[in-house]
Each structure stands twice: as C-alpha cells, then as structure tokens.
Amino acid sequence: MKITISAKTSTDNIEAVKLVRSVTGCALSTAKKQLSLGKGGFFYTTEFFMNDFPERAQEVVELVNGFSDLGLELFIIEIGYNESWSDVDINNLDKYEVSAEVVLNTIESSVGDYE
C-alpha cells in the first residue's frame, strides 16, 4: 500500500504549515506552497508495511489528527505496492482517493504485526 497526502482544498493556515514542516522536515516555504496547491500539492508520500512501518504510521497519524484538529481535510490517494506513481492518472486523482478513516484503520489493524 502506497499513499500520498495533500490538503483537500488550498489553505494558508500557518499551523498546518508548521505541522507539515514538523512531520516531513521540509522547509516552511515548501510546506506553505504545497498546502496552497490543494489536492495537487502532495507533501507526504510513503509505502506501508516495510521495515519502517511504525515510523511511517506515526507520521501519518500525526498528519491526520493534526489536520482534523485544525478543521482541515486531507486528500489521500492510494495505489498498490506493485504500482508506480508515474502510472497515476493526474487528471482523475479522485478515483484513487481513500479516506483518512480507512488509512487509520489499516494502521491500527497492522500495528501489532510490527512491534
């Protein structure tokens, strides 16, 4: 399972910018630019179920909960482990969308396998 995350709609919320910066390590200016792009401004990409699953899972939980606390929605798309991001139809991103709830449930049901 591979996911990438952006803001559902364009935002300039400084707390969201700080959150993206703290989780991803990108520059504040980069986080601000990506958030201003809305759905097309992907700022976080990861593949689950690798050796670093606990760390990646924690980052995703921080982003989902942080954006929720700010009243902002995330746009998350998912592709299979054997698919490539270059194969994604950028003109039809909605067909890849997965809810934050599904991602959190996937994380929760898998955490025990990586402890």
Side-chain angles (χ1 to χ4, degrees), residues 79-96:
I79 60 173
Y81 73 93
N82 60 341
E83 296 177 284
S84 170
W85 289 113
S86 62
D87 297 329
V88 171
D89 178 1
I90 60 171
N91 296 312
N92 195 12
L93 292 176
D94 291 340
K95 81 177 194 177
Y96 305 96

Side-chain angles (χ1 to χ4, degrees), residues 6-107:
S6 64
K8 188 104 173 180
T9 59
S10 175
T11 184
D12 62 357
N13 183 302
I14 190 64
E15 294 306 316
V17 172
K18 290 179 187 177
L19 175 62
V20 169
R21 161 79 171 85
S22 73
V23 173
T24 68
C26 71
L28 287 171
S29 60
T30 300
K32 183 177 179 180
K33 179 180 181 196
Q34 294 308 104
L35 290 171
S36 74
L37 295 173
K39 283 184 180 181
F42 295 103
F43 56 79
Y44 182 86
T45 301
T46 195
E47 183 172 353
F48 282 150
F49 311 120
M50 306 297 278
N51 290 338
D52 61 352
F53 176 75
E55 292 83 12
R56 301 301 75 83
Q58 180 59 38
E59 291 168 352
V60 172
V61 168
E62 285 179 40
L63 289 168
V64 169
N65 291 339
F67 271 73
S68 178
D69 290 348
L70 294 170
L72 299 170
E73 288 185 75
L74 290 174
F75 181 68
I76 305 172
I77 64 172
E78 172 192 3
I79 60 173
Y81 73 93
N82 60 341
E83 296 177 284
S84 170
W85 289 113
S86 62
D87 297 329
V88 171
D89 178 1
I90 60 171
N91 296 312
N92 195 12
L93 292 176
D94 291 340
K95 81 177 194 177
Y96 305 96
E97 185 176 13
V98 62
S99 73
E101 181 180 358
V102 166
V103 173
L104 291 178
N105 287 340
T106 300
I107 289 170

